[in-house]
Amino acid sequence: MNTLKDFLTLENFMTILYDNENIILSNELVNRVEDSFAFLLEFSKNKVIYGVNTGFGPMAQYRIQEDECIQLQYNLIRSHASGIGNPLSVEQVRAAILARLNTLSLGYSGINLTVIQLMKELLDCHITPLIFAHGSVGASGDLVQLAHLALVLIGEGEVFYKGERRATKEVFELEGLQPIEIRIREGLSLMNGTSVMTGIGILNWSNATKLLDWSVQMSCAINEIVSAYDDHYSVELNQAKLHEGQQYIAKQMRDNLTTSQLVRKREEHLYSGTNQESVFKDKVQEYYSIRCVPQILGPVYDTIQTVKKVLENEINSANDNPIVDMETKQVYHGGNFHGDYISLEMDKLKLVITRLTMLAERQLNYLLNAKINELLPPFVNLGKLGFNYGMQGVQFTATSTTAECQTLSTSMYVHSIPNNNDNQDIVSMGTNAAVLCDKVIENSFEVLAIEMITIAQAIDALDCKDKVSMPTLTWYKEVRAILPTFSEDVVMYPYLQKVKEYLKK
């Protein structure tokens, strides 16, 4: 049972999003919403309240007559349902709906209960509004994208239903659903908010967490392949630097490599007193992409943790305008819809995932370049050199995809462009930041899929699968179930997609 009641953690959010059970609205939630609506209905009489009896944005200076106030809300929704470009994914839209449902249920918005109830039905019935990627500047919230959600809630627009794009009216008739009833300011309350950028952001956080875990696991496997010394992820070395993320990654590596028979202890080799060579055959220290994993992935971990906190705060905050405060019995005007918090965190997350991708690409290059690893055949080619090509072709894909991540990592947070007759004179671009972050994350999964296949080939080239750690052996077997060891050249793209899907599950 998924009951919406109080503070919603990101873990709970993801459970509700993917669970097939219907959402339950708690009595406390229902009471909050109804009390807030009843108060605003009474309070708004004979007062000037933005979006209730005024125009919107720079048109707020115009009073709206009482008999036009309801139509005003419909006008707002229809005029702003103006997105374009690729539709957001079903997953992203569902996340946005859940985020909007939760924030509107806090009792700060003065909406009637039918809004909450119908959003719940959209999620329960897997009816997904058509919302486009392009449209939001992230300042009065996700106005354009949320207008497309509101359009569906009033029974108009289009939805995705059972794999088809259909008219909302048709689908509502099939499911026996009624459009919402606009009573005061339901259009504005739905549209003024950060729920699209936040919903996408939560999915980005979830996928970034998976990427980090895989990056650690693959970094451990490479340490095994090259028989690296274990002191670079030791407690002693990493506790000398006081960053939580670095110490966390080092511990993850220690736990992962406990059962490995391939990593070495420096005291048994270079500290043994028996080395008399003038030029050492074995590397005294590994390349940075192998030796500096805690220092490189540590900031990634720390950033992901900060992103989580900000996203969690946002979905549990009132982010529309104006705010109905039941404690003081007042309505407050301001800018809680501004998406700066999410925009900055998505830029930060995008940066660190690009960095993670760069680490994977350098580790991949190390494995493919026989001149620097001095261990494996060129391109981990298990066939006939010159006649077969091993992983040579897929390196181009990994390199170009990593380069795209680097370009996409340009900040949206600092790219404000004034609009709306300069009423919105500084904006967050938070939704653009979240969408671009999603693209970087998708790219990263692709690069890591290539790296994973390459590591599996390297393990076979060295015939060392019986000596790798248990975590490495586990995923090695699962990847080999997708793509068996190959020496003859194979068409790689279907396998890349399947391994990417394996990484994302």
Side-chain angles (χ1 to χ4, degrees):
M1 181 182 297
N2 294 314
T3 303
L4 281 179
K5 182 179 177 182
D6 297 315
F7 191 87
L8 186 62
T9 67
L10 294 199
E11 289 81 4
N12 289 342
F13 185 100
M14 296 300 294
T15 297
I16 294 170
L17 198 62
Y18 290 109
D19 202 330
N20 287 323
E21 292 189 17
N22 289 349
I23 296 170
I24 305 297
L25 304 178
S26 70
N27 290 334
E28 296 96 319
L29 182 155
V30 170
N31 291 337
R32 281 199 306 265
V33 172
E34 290 185 328
D35 290 348
S36 176
F37 170 72
F39 166 74
L40 184 61
L41 188 63
E42 183 63 29
F43 183 86
S44 60
K45 295 177 181 178
N46 301 317
K47 295 182 180 67
V48 177
I49 300 177
Y50 172 76
V52 174
N53 50 19
T54 74
F56 302 104
M59 300 292 106
Q61 301 308 114
Y62 294 89
R63 180 187 290 275
I64 306 300
Q65 298 304 311
E66 185 176 350
D67 61 350
E68 296 179 324
C69 285
I70 300 301
Q71 186 60 44
L72 172 72
Q73 301 295 318
Y74 287 100
N75 292 350
L76 178 68
I77 293 169
R78 290 168 181 149
S79 65
H80 284 66
S82 56
I84 198 169
N86 294 324
L88 296 176
S89 71
V90 167
E91 185 181 47
Q92 289 172 332
V93 174
R94 284 175 60 80
I97 296 172
L98 181 55
R100 196 84 206 116
L101 193 165
N102 195 65
T103 190
L104 291 178
S105 72
L106 298 175
Y108 288 103
S109 302
I111 58 168
N112 74 75
L113 191 59
T114 64
V115 178
I116 303 292
Q117 291 171 328
L118 187 52
M119 282 196 286
K120 170 190 127 52
E121 293 298 331
L122 293 184
L123 292 171
D124 289 346
C125 298
H126 291 267
I127 300 170
T128 306
L130 170 66
I131 299 179
F132 296 98
H134 289 166
S136 175
V137 297
S140 283
D142 299 308
L143 280 175
V144 169
Q145 278 97 342
L146 286 173
H148 283 274
L149 168 60
L151 192 67
V152 168
L153 292 172
I154 64 173
E156 301 177 16
E158 297 177 84
V159 298
F160 291 101
Y161 179 70
K162 296 184 178 180
E164 295 181 348
R165 180 171 163 178
R166 302 183 63 172
T168 301
K169 183 178 179 181
E170 295 174 5
V171 175
F172 276 17
E173 289 174 354
L174 287 172
E175 289 287 347
L177 299 177
Q178 294 296 319
I180 64 170
E181 180 183 0
I182 290 183
R183 297 284 302 279
I184 310 178
R185 50 163 284 190
E186 282 74 16
L188 180 63
S189 293
L190 281 165
M191 293 166 53
N192 251 189
T194 60
S195 300
V196 174
M197 67 178 82
T198 305
I200 298 171
I202 293 171
L203 297 178
N204 290 345
W205 162 81
S206 178
N207 283 323
T209 302
K210 294 176 185 177
L211 282 169
L212 178 60
D213 180 64
W214 281 121
S215 184
V216 171
Q217 291 200 50
M218 282 186 259
S219 296
C220 288
I222 292 175
N223 271 270
E224 295 184 89
I225 287 169
V226 304
S227 295
Y229 294 107
D230 67 356
D231 50 348
H232 68 85
Y233 55 85
S234 66
V235 172
E236 293 77 9
L237 181 131
N238 288 282
Q239 72 182 5
K241 204 163 184 181
L242 301 181
H243 298 297
E244 179 185 351
Q246 177 176 331
Q247 295 179 9
Y248 172 85
I249 297 297
K251 184 180 186 304
Q252 293 297 104
M253 295 182 72
R254 291 194 299 274
D255 292 346
N256 186 295
L257 292 168
T258 298
T259 54
S260 176
Q261 301 174 48
L262 295 172
V263 292
R264 297 183 293 172
K265 294 189 178 300
R266 194 172 293 271
E267 57 266 28
E268 296 175 1
H269 296 273
L270 296 181
Y271 289 180
S272 65
T274 62
N275 303 91
Q276 301 300 320
E277 307 101 307
S278 297
V279 178
F280 300 112
K281 181 179 179 181
D282 290 339
K283 286 186 173 66
V284 175
Q285 295 187 119
E286 298 296 340
Y287 280 68
Y288 284 12
S289 63
I290 298 171
R291 174 164 44 109
C292 299
V293 171
Q295 292 82 4
I296 295 169
L297 293 184
V300 180
Y301 172 82
D302 286 336
T303 301
I304 289 173
Q305 295 307 111
T306 303
V307 168
K308 178 185 179 183
K309 180 179 179 181
V310 171
L311 288 167
E312 213 161 60
N313 285 341
E314 192 71 22
I315 56 167
N316 291 286
S317 299
N319 50 51
D320 54 338
N321 178 57
I323 294 297
V324 176
D325 185 71
M326 293 298 294
E327 186 173 339
T328 60
K329 304 299 185 194
Q330 284 290 338
V331 173
Y332 297 93
H333 293 67
N336 279 2
F337 49 62
H338 216 280
D340 270 41
Y341 272 104
I342 303 302
S343 182
L344 177 58
E345 295 309 308
M346 289 300 100
D347 275 2
K348 287 161 60 179
L349 188 61
K350 183 173 62 175
L351 278 172
V352 297
I353 295 303
T354 293
R355 188 64 165 171
L356 181 152
T357 309
M358 292 166 61
L359 174 65
E361 188 276 331
R362 287 293 83 198
Q363 290 173 340
L364 175 67
N365 183 72
Y366 181 90
L367 294 175
L368 297 179
N369 191 334
K371 295 178 181 178
I372 63 173
N373 66 57
E374 299 177 330
L375 185 67
L376 298 164
F379 303 107
V380 199
N381 184 356
L382 305 187
K384 182 179 179 182
L385 296 182
F387 180 70
N388 298 116
Y389 290 90
M391 300 297 290
Q392 179 174 327
V394 292
Q395 185 178 20
F396 296 116
T397 303
T399 302
S400 65
T401 305
T402 302
E404 183 177 75
C405 288
Q406 292 171 313
T407 299
L408 291 174
S409 291
T410 300
S411 173
M412 288 303 307
Y413 178 67
V414 298
H415 274 74
S416 174
I417 301 176
N419 71 132
N420 195 228
N421 280 6
D422 279 338
N423 171 53
Q424 297 183 14
D425 57 351
I426 181 165
V427 298
S428 75
M429 297 296 180
T431 309
N432 283 354
V435 169
L436 289 177
C437 183
D438 169 68
K439 175 59 175 171
V440 167
I441 286 169
E442 286 296 308
N443 285 355
S444 187
F445 276 114
E446 293 168 6
V447 175
L448 263 64
I450 293 168
E451 182 184 19
M452 177 170 269
I453 295 171
T454 304
I455 293 172
Q457 287 289 101
I459 289 172
D460 289 332
L462 299 175
D463 192 23
C464 64
K465 69 174 181 290
D466 294 332
K467 295 182 179 180
V468 298
S469 67
M470 288 304 298
T472 299
L473 183 62
T474 297
W475 67 253
Y476 165 86
K477 289 180 177 179
E478 291 172 349
V479 167
R480 282 303 182 217
I482 298 171
L483 174 60
T485 307
F486 62 93
S487 55
E488 298 297 321
D489 295 316
V490 297
V491 176
M492 291 295 291
Y493 74 86
Y495 299 111
L496 297 181
Q497 183 60 37
K498 289 178 180 178
V499 174
K500 178 184 176 183
E501 292 167 1
Y502 164 73
L503 293 171
K504 292 187 70 175
K505 70 180 183 182

